[in-house]
C-alpha cells in the first residue's frame, strides 16, 4: 500500500526540520500517543492507543529516523506491534522544499499489516493508513499554526 | 484485564422453561446455551457473524447467538433448535428438511431451520427467489441450497396447514 | 431386490433426526471431566526464525496451566507429520520432503503456523494466556509468487531450492512431434485459483490420556480415524496403535480438508498426556482459514493439437502446483497421479504429455479438496476443447462428439496410464443438451440482449477416476498405504444386523446407504440394520472417506462380507435341512431347499445357540472382508452452464446448470442428487466467487467470511440433474462414486459460459464482477465504441 | 472476549454519567459489529452500556414531512414499519437490504450511524434524505455528521437519540453488495425534493458523502443519462479486494443511474 501527500507550511525549512526531529512534537502529532521515549540507539519507542472503528488496541511503535539529509529529507521507519491484534510496518519518506519563506512538505508512505489486522481488516487497511498519515501531517502542520503561519492543504 | 467480573443473575425463558441463570457479562448467548445449558444444537461456524449456524429465536425472531450477550436475553424468551421439535414430533419445517434431503453434514441445519421458521412466520408469501434471499444469513457448504429452498417452501405449506388444523380445533 | 428401502430407493436418511433436532454429537459438543482448553500460538509472519518464546507472563496468568512449544515436542521425540505419497521426479529421484514438525521448532513458514499450545482451565484464560506469550521472530523474506517460487531462495534450510518434485507422465517426444504436425494448435495459460475448503464445522480435537491403562483417546474431526491412528502411531509416535483410540463422531463436512493429520490434534493428544488432563481445542473460523489445508492453486500452460478434420492429436500440459510450506498428507499425489492421469478426459487424444512442478511457498499447505486434481485436469481439458471449437468454428458439442471415446472402445487405455472400464459419454451429453434446451439457446441469448444482458453457454464433459484403486499399483506409484476398505457384517443372535465400515460419513449418509446395501443383500428389514463408523475402538480398520470411494470400495467390502454371511448361513441351513450346501439357495432373506425354509434370523440364532449345528463350523454369524478394488472407477458426465452478465456492473449470474452424470449403479438417488448439488455449488463458488488470496507480504487477506466469498442461496439457481447408467464392471455393486463430480465438472462449464458470453478467450477464476467489467471495457475500447 | 462491566441504564442521563465515569466505555446498541469485534479480542472496553432499556430511544413516528426513527429501532422494524413504508418506502427498502435477516433483527439505526462503517447503508439515507441527527446534547445536520473513516461529529459519550428524515417527493436506493460480506461496495440514494435533488453515496469513500456533481446534473435533468458526463470530485474512492477505486467510481455512477431510473 502506497500513498502520498503534500502540505505547505508557512515556516522556514530549518524550523520544520527541527520539529520533525523533536520527539515531543512527533508524540503530539500521533493521535492517541500516550508516551514517546528516545532510546539509546536514537530510535523512539511510542505507546499508541489506536482506534479504527470498533477496533481499539494499544500498539507499541518503534520509530527510527534514517537517511537523514538535513534539512531536506529523511525517512521514518515505523515498526508497530499490537500483540494479538497484529502488526504494521511502514515508512514515510518526508521531503522538505523551500518555497519562499514557507516550506513544502511532501510525504510518501508505504505500509503493510499482518496478523489479525490483515486477516480481518483487509478492506479497511488502505483507508486507515491514509487517514493516519493525513491526521499526522495535518497535526504536524498545526504545530506551526499561529493562524498566520499555517498554510492550506494543497492536496 | 481478564479478571473475572462477578456473574450476573439472568432470568431467561429457554425453550418455554423459566430459567434462573448466572453468567459473567462477557458470556455470549451461544456459549451460555452450549456450555452452561448443554444445548449443543446451536453451533458456532464463524467469528464474524456471517454463517448463521448459531441462529436462535429471541422473542420469536431469528438472531445470531454469537452476536448477542447472554445478558441481553435477560427477561426475554430464547428458543433453540431443541425447542422446536423432537425426534418423536418433528416441527413441520424439520419434517420438510428431512423429506427434501435438505441437509447433509447437519452442522448448518439447526441455524438454517431457525432462520427458515422465522422467514415463514414473519416474511411475505415465499417464492423460490424470496427463500434464497431470506436465507442470506445462513451458509451451507454441503447442499448447494437446492433442497433447502425446496424444503422451506414445503415447510411453509406444512406450517400453514398445521395452523389451519390448529385453528379448526 | 427392489423395495422401498433396497438398492435404488430414495430412502430418507435415518441420521437426519439427530441433526434436525440438535441432538447430534460433534466433537465440540463433547466434554470430559477435568477437561481444560487449548489455544495455539500461531505465527503472524509468513516466514521467520523463531527466537526466544517468553512464556513467563503467560504462566503467571490466572488459569493458565502450561505452555508447550515446538522445543518441548521435539525434546519429547515427537516425529514429523508425514506426506503419505512418495512422488518421484522425472529424473527418477525421490521428491524432496521438508521436515514438518507438529509445532514449529526453529522457523515458521506460513501465517497461522502453530508453534506453541497454551493450556488453561477455561477457554478465556487460554486465549488471554496466549496473548501474554512474547515471541522473538526474526522475519525472513517469504516466497509467495507461484510462477517463480521453484527457483527462488529456498524456504527450508538445507534444501537446494523450492522444488519438491518435477514430475512427468506420457510420451514427450511423440506429443511434441504430433503438436508440430497438427493443423491447428489451441493454446491457453490457465490459473486454477486457490480455494479454502470451509467445511461448516471448524476442526476440533478433544484428547485424553488414562495413566492407569496407558490408553490415549482422541475425539477429532476426521474423515478417516484409522489413518489418523496409523500416522499418529507409526510416524509421530504418540503411542502404539493398540493404545490409541481415535473417534470421529458426527463431523460437519470435510470435502477433503479433514482427511489429513494436522498439527493441532497431534499436539492436543500429546499435551493431554503431558498435563494429565483432557484438553479440548476447537478452531475459530479465523484459524480454519489460516491453518486448514487449502485446495487447487495451479498455473498451467497447455496446448491441444487438432488435425484438419477436428480430431485431437496431442495434448501438452505444463503445470506448476503450489504445495504450500509443507507437504500435507496426500498433497504430493494431487497434482500428479490425480491430475496428470486424468488429462485424456473423455477423448481419444493419442498423445499426451504432462509435467508438474510441485513447489513450496510460504502459505498454508495445499492438499486434496473435493475433486483433488481432477477438477484441475478437467478445467485444462475442457477449457481447451471449448476454445478449440470456437477457434475453428465448430459447435462445441459436435467437436466433443467427434473425439469422444465410444462405448465400443472400452476397455480403453489412455496415453496417461489409466484403463477406463466402461462408459457412454455421448449418452450423457445428449441428455444434457436436451435438458439444457440447447436448441433454444440462441433465442434466449437474443432475448437477453434485448434486456441489455449477455448470455453465454458452456460445456464440460468430465471424467474422474475414483474409488482408488488396486493397492499394489498405488503402492508402486508411491502410496504409503493400501487403498482397500474393510467392512464387517455382524448378524446378532436375534437377527438384527450391525454393520461396521472403515469408511467415515460426514454428510454423505452412509448410515442410510450402507444399511440399504446390506439390507438388500441379506434380505433383512432396513430398520434392523445399524451402521457403525468413525471409531477405531469399534471398527477394525479402514481408510476413510475421500475420492468418492465410500460406496464403490467400502460398499463393496460390505457386499463381500454379506456374501460370507450367506455362505455360512447356507451351511447352517443345509445342516438343519439335512441336505448338501449346493442345494440351499438364498432368496429374500431366507435359505431355501425344496419346500424347506430357514430365515437368516433363524440361522443366526442357530449359530449363537449351536445345539443342532454343523460340527465343523464355528459358532456365531459375523464376517468381515477387505475389499481391494481391481481398478479405478470412472464416473463421467456432461455439465452445461448458462450464465447471464449484467453489462453495466459485470455481475455474472448462473441462471441454469444442467448436470447429467454416470455414476454407475445408484443405491440412493436422493442422496446422489444431493451430492451433485453440493459439488456443483462448490464448483460454481470456484468459478465465480471463491479465492484464497495471500498478499505479496504473505498475509492471508481473505481470512474471514467478510472477504472470502462463500456461495449463498441467492448466488445459485435450482440445478437440473439427471443420471445415465453404465455399471462399473469390476465391483459387485456396479457403483462408481458421486461425491466429487459436481465440483469436477462445473468450473470449466461455467467459465466456458462466461467466456462465451463475453466473447473472450479466457478469464481467470473467479470471474468477479470487476474482472468481467474490465473485460467488457477493454472490448469496448478495442472496438472503438 | 475480555471482561467488562455491564450496565443497563434506563435514562439517557444515567447512560451519559456511566460513560463519563468509566475508564473506556462503549455503548451497546444492536451489537452486530461491536460484539463480534470484542469476541475476536480486537476491542476491550472496560464498560458496556446497553442502551436497550432507555424507552425514549425506541419508536417510529411520522409527522409533517418527516419520518422520525428512534435510535434503538432495529433495521427489521424500519423495513417492516407500515408508517415508514407509507411515508418513505425507500428508507424501508434500504433497511431491508442491510446485512441479512438475523442482523436486521438485532442491528439498530443509532448504532449503525454511531459506528459509521464506510460500507454501511444508512449513511446514504442520512445524507440524501436531509436527516437531522438528534443526540442527548444537540441536533446535528446530516450534512455535518460524517467526517472521515469511522469518524463522526459525535463527541465522546454523546448518544444518538433519534434521526429525522425529510420526506422527499420521491426517492430510490440502489446498492451493489459485497458478494462476501453483503456490505455496500457502492450504495446510492437519490432523493428528489421537487427539483432539489440530493444524492447520498455510501461504500465508496472513507465515509458517506453527497455526490454534488450528480446532484447538479440531476437538477438540470432528472434522467439517468444526465449522469454520464458528471464526475464526482474530491473523493478518494476506496480500493480493496472486491473493487478497485476505478471500478467503485463506475459502480457509484451505475447505482445512481439505476436509482434515478427507479424513482422516475
Amino acid at each position: 500500500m502506497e500513498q502520498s501527500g503534500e502540505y505547505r507550511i508557512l515556516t522556514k525549512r530549518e524550523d520544520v526540520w527541527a520539529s520533525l526531529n523533536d520527539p515531543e512534537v512527533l508524540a503530539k502529532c500521533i493521535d492517541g500517543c500516550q508516551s514517546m521515549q528516545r532510546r539509546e540507539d536514537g530510535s523512539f519507542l511510542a505507546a499508541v492507543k489506536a482506534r479504527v472503528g470498533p477496533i481499539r488496541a494499544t500498539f507499541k511503535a518503534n520509530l527510527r529516523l534514517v537517511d537523514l539529509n538535513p534539512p531536506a529529507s529523511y525517512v521514518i521507519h515505523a515498526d508497530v506491534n499490537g500483540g494479538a491484534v497484529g502488526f504494521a510496518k511502514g515508512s514515510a519518506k518526508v521531503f522538505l522544499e523551500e518555497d519562499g519563506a514557507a516550506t513544502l512538505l511532501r510525504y510518501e508512505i508505504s505500509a503493510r499489516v499482518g496478523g489479525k489486522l490483515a486477516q480481518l481488516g483487509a478492506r479497511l487497511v488502505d483507508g486507515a493508513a491514509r487517514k493516519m498519515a493525513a491526521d499526522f501531517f495535518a497535526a504536524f502542520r498545526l504545530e506551526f499554526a499561529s493562524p498566520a503561519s499555517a498554510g492550506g492543504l494543497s492536496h | 484485564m481478564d479478571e473475572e467480573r462477578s456473574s450476573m443473575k439472568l432470568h431467561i425463558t429457554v425453550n418455554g422453561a423459566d430459567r434462573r441463570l448466572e453468567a459473567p457479562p462477557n458470556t455470549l448467548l451461544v456459549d451460555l446455551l452450549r456450555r452452561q445449558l448443554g444445548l449443543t444444537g446451536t453451533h458456532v461456524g464463524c467469528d464474524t457473524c456471517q454463517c448463521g449456524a448459531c441462529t436462535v429465536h429471541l422473542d420469536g425472531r431469528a438472531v445470531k447467538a454469537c452476536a448477542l450477550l447472554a445478558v441481553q436475553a435477560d427477561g426475554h424468551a430464547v428458543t433453540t433448535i431443541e425447542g422446536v421439535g423432537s425426534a418423536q414430533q418433528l416441527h413441520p419445517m424439520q419434517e420438510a428438511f428431512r423429506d427434501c434431503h435438505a441437509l447433509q453434514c447437519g452442522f448448518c441445519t439447526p441455524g438454517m431451520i431457525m432462520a427458515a421458521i422465522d422467514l415463514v412466520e414473519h416474511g411475505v408469501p415465499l417464492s423460490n427467489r424470496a427463500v434464497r434471499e431470506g436465507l442470506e444469513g445462513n451458509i451451507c457448504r454441503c447442499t448447494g441450497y437446492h433442497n433447502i429452498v425446496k424444503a422451506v417452501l414445503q415447510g411453509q405449506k406444512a406450517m400453514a396447514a398445521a395452523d389451519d388444523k390448529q385453528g379448526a380445533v | 431386490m427392489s423395495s422401498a428401502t433396497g438398492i435404488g430407493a430414495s430412502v430418507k436418511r435415518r441420521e437426519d433426526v439427530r441433526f434436525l433436532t440438535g441432538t447430534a454429537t460433534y466433537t465440540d459438543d463433547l466434554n470430559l471431566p477435568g477437561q481444560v482448553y487449548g489455544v495455539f500460538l500461531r505465527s503472524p509472519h509468513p516466514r521467520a526464525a523463531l527466537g526466544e518464546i517468553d512464556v513467563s507472563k503467560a504462566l503467571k496468568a490466572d488459569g493458565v496451566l502450561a505452555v508447550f512449544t515446538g522445543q518441548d515436542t521435539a525434546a519429547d521425540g515427537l516425529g514429523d507429520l508425514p506426506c503419505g505419497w512418495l512422488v518421484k521426479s522425472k529424473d527418477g529421484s525421490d521428491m524432496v520432503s521438508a521436515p514438518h514438525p507438529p509445532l514449529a521448532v526453529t522457523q515458521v513458514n506460513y501465517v497461522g503456523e502453530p508453534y506453541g499450545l497454551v493450556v488453561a482451565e477455561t477457554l478465556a484464560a487460554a486465549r488471554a494466556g496466549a496473548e501474554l506469550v512474547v515471541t522473538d521472530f526474526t522475519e525472513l523474506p517469504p516466497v509467495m509468487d507461484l510462477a517463480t517460487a521453484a527457483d527462488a531462495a529456498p524456504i527450508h534450510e538445507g534444501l537446494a531450492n523450492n522444488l519438491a518434485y518435477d514430475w512427468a507422465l506420457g510420451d514427450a517426444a511423440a506429443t511434441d512431434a504430433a503438436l508440430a504436425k497438427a493443423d491447428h494448435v489451441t493454446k491457453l495459460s490457465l490459473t486454477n485459483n486457490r480455494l479454502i475448503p470451509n467445511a461448516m464445522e471448524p476442526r476440533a480435537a478433544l484428547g485424553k490420556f488414562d495413566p492407569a491403562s496407558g490408553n490415549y483417546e482422541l475425539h477429532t474431526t476426521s474423515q478417516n480415524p484409522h489413518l489418523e491412528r496409523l500416522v499418529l502411531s507409526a510416524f509421530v509416535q504418540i503411542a502404539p496403535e493398540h493404545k490409541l483410540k481415535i473417534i470421529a463422531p458426527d463431523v460437519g463436512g470435510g470435502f477433503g480438508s479433514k482427511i489429513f493429520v494436522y498439527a493441532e490434534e497431534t499436539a492436543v493428544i500429546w499435551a493431554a498426556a503431558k498435563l494429565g488432563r483432557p484438553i479440548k481445542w476447537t478452531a475459530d473460523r479465523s484459524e480454519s482459514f489460516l491453518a486448514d489445508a487449502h485446495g487447487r492453486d495451479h498455473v498451467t500452460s497447455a496446448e491441444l493439437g487438432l488435425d484438419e478434420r477436428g480430431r485431437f492429436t496431442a495434448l501438452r500440459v505444463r503445470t506448476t502446483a503450489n504445495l504450500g510450506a509443507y507437504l500435507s498428507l496426500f498433497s504430493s499425489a494431487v497434482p500428479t497421479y490425480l491430475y496428470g492421469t486424468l488429462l485424456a478426459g473423455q477423448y481419444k487424444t493419442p498423445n499426451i504429455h504432462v509435467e508438474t512442478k510441485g513447489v513450496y511457498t510460504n502459505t498454508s499447505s495445499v492438499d486434496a479438496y473435493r475433486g483433488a486434481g481432477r477438477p484441475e485436469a478437467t478445467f485444462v481439458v475442457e477449457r481447451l476443447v471449448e476454445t478449440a471449437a470456437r477457434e475453428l468454428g465448430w459447435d462445441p458439442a459436435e467437436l466433443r462428439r467427434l473425439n469422444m471415446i465410444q462405448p465400443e472402445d472400452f476397455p480403453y487405455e489412455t496415453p496417461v496410464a489409466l484403463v477406463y472400464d466402461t462408459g457412454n459419454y455421448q449418452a450423457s451429453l445428449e441428455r444434457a443438451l436436451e435438458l439444457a434446451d440447447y436448441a433454444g439457446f440462441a433465442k434466449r441469448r437474443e432475448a437477453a440482449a434485448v434486456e441489455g444482458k449477455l448470455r453465454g453457454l458452456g460445456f464440460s464433459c468430465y471424467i474422474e477416476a475414483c474409488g482408488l484403486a488396486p493397492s499394489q499399483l498405488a503402492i508402486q506409484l508411491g502410496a504409503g498405504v493400501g487403498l482397500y476398505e474393510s467392512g464387517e457384517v455382524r448378524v446378532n443372535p436375534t437377527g438384527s444386523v450391525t454393520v461396521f465400515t472403515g469408511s467415515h460419513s460426514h454428510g454423505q449418509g452412509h448410515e442410510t446407504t450402507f444399511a440399504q446395501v446390506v439390507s438388500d443383500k441379506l434380505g433383512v428389514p432396513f430398520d434392523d440394520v445399524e451402521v457403525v463408523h468413525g471409531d477405531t475402538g469399534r471398527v477394525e480398520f479402514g481408510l476413510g472417506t475421500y475420492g468418492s470411494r465410500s460406496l464403490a470400495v467400502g460398499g463393496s467390502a460390505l457386499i463381500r462380507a454379506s456374501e460370507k454371511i450367506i455362505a455360512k448361513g447356507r451351511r447352517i441351513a443345509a445342516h438343519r435341512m439335512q441336505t448338501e450346501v449346493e442345494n440351499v439357495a438364498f432368496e429374500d432373506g431366507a435359505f431355501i431347499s425344496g419346500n424347506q425354509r430357514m430365515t437368516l434370523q433363524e440361522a443366526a440364532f442357530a449359530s449363537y445357540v449351536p445345539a443342532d449345528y454343523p460340527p465343523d463350523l464355528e459358532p456365531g454369524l459375523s464376517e468381515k472382508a477387505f475389499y481391494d478394488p481391481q481398478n479405478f472407477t470412472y464416473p463421467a458426465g456432461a455439465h452445461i452452464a448458462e450464465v447471464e452478465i449484467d453489462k453495466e456492473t459485470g455481475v455474472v449470474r448462473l441462471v441454469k446448470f444442467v448436470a447429467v452424470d454416470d455414476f454407475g449403479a445408484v443405491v440412493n438417488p436422493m442422496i446422489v442428487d444431493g451430492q451433485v448439488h453440493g459439488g456443483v455449488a462448490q464448483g460454481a463458488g470456484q468459478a465465480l466467487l471463491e479465492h484464497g488470496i495471500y498478499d505479496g507480504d504473505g498475509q492471508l487477506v481473505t481470512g474471514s467470511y467478510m472477504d472470502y466469498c462463500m456461495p449463498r442461496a441467492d448466488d445459485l439457481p435450482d440445478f437440473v440433474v439427471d443420471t445415465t447408467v453404465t455399471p462399473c464392471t469390476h465391483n459387485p455393486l456396479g457403483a462408481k462414486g458421486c461425491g466429487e463430480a459436481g465440483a469436477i465438472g462445473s468450473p470449466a462449464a461455467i467459465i466456458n459460459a462466461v467466456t462465451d458470453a463475453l466473447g473472450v478467450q479466457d478469464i481467470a477464476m473467479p470471474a468477479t464482477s470487476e474482472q468481467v467489467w474490465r473485460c467488457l471495457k477493454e472490448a469496448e475500447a478495442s472496438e472503438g465504441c | 472476549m475480555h471482561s467488562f462491566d455491564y450496565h443497563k441504564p434506563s435514562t439517557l442521563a444515567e447512560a451519559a454519567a456511566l460513560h463519563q465515569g468509566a475508564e473506556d466505555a462503549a455503548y451497546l446498541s444492536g451489537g452486530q459489529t461491536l460484539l463480534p469485534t470484542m469476541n475476536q479480542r480486537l476491542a476491550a472496553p472496560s464498560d458496556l452500556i446497553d442502551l436497550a432499556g432507555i424507552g425514549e430511544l425506541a419508536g417510529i413516528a411520522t409527522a409533517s414531512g418527516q419520518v422520525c426513527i428512534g435510535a434503538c429501532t432495529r433495521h427489521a422494524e424500519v423495513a417492516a414499519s407500515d408508517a415508514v413504508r407509507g411515508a418513505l418506502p425507500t428508507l424501508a427498502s434500504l433497511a431491508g437490504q442491510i446485512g441479512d435477516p438475523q442482523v436486521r433483527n438485532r442491528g439498530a439505526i443509532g448504532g449503525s450511524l454511531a459506528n459509521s462503517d464506510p460500507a454501511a447503508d444508512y449513511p446514504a439515507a442520512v445524507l440524501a434524505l436531509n436527516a437531522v441527527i438528534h443526540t442527548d446534547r444537540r441536533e446535528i445536520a446530516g450534512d455535518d455528521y460524517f467526517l472521515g473513516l469511522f469518524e463522526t461529529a459525535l463527541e465522546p459519550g454523546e448518544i444518538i437519540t433519534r434521526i429525522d428524515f425529510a420526506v422527499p417527493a420521491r426517492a430510490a436506493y440502489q446498492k451493489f453488495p459485497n458478494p462476501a460480506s453483503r456490505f455496500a461496495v457502492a450504495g446510492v440514494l437519490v432523493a428528489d425534493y421537487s427539483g432539489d435533488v440530493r444524492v447520498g453515496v455510501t461504500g465508496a469513500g472513507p465515509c458517506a458523502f453527497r455526490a454534488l456533481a450528480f446532484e447538479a446534473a440531476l437538477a438540470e435533468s432528472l434522467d439517468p443519462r444526465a449522469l454520464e458526463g458528471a464526475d464526482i470530485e474530491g473523493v478518494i474512492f476506496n480500493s480493496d479486494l472486491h473493487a478497485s477505486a476505478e471500478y467503485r467510481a463506475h459502480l457509484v455512477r451505475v447505482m445512481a443511474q439505476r436509482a434515478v431510473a427507479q424513482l422516475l
Side-chain angles (χ1 to χ4, degrees), chain C residues 131 648-649 712 770 777, chain D residues 41 180 244 246-247 250 258:
Chain C
E131 290 179 6
E648 286 182 317
T649 60
R712 304 202 195 199
E770 174 157 5
K777 221 168 70 142
Chain D
R41 304 174 74 85
S244 65
E246 186 193 5
Y247 181 52
H250 168 76
R258 288 184 180 181

Side-chain angles (χ1 to χ4, degrees), chain A residues 21-154:
Chain A
N21 286 275
D22 180 345
E24 273 185 42
V25 174
L26 297 179
K28 270 165 77 178
C29 298
I30 297 172
D31 190 26
C33 184
Q34 297 177 310
S35 67
M36 172 87 77
Q37 295 160 331
R38 188 190 284 272
R39 306 215 297 188
E40 273 177 22
D41 62 359
S43 68
F44 303 99
L45 191 65
V48 181
K49 214 167 182 181
R51 182 179 85 90
V52 180
I55 301 174
R56 284 153 201 260
T58 301
F59 292 89
K60 279 183 193 147
N62 191 16
L63 304 175
R64 277 181 303 127
L65 307 181
V66 299
D67 298 344
L68 294 159
N69 179 21
S73 68
Y74 75 11
V75 178
I76 311 179
H77 278 303
D79 203 331
V80 184
N81 189 343
V85 170
F87 63 86
K89 287 173 194 293
S91 62
K93 288 182 194 166
V94 185
F95 304 93
L96 301 179
E97 280 169 43
E98 288 185 319
D99 183 15
T103 306
L104 216 52
L105 180 153
R106 208 155 46 75
Y107 66 87
E108 294 169 6
I109 59 165
S110 66
R112 62 186 180 93
V113 297
K116 276 190 189 170
L117 285 176
Q119 193 186 356
L120 299 169
R123 74 187 170 103
L124 300 173
V125 168
D126 219 37
R130 181 176 284 120
K131 175 171 157 46
M132 284 174 188
D135 286 354
F136 173 83
F137 287 107
F140 181 74
R141 184 172 57 101
L142 284 177
E143 281 298 301
F144 304 94
S146 60
S149 66
L153 176 66
S154 50

Side-chain angles (χ1 to χ4, degrees), chain D residues 147-158:
Chain D
L147 302 182
L149 183 67
F150 288 113
E151 206 184 346
T152 69
L154 291 178
E155 292 161 0
E158 190 170 5

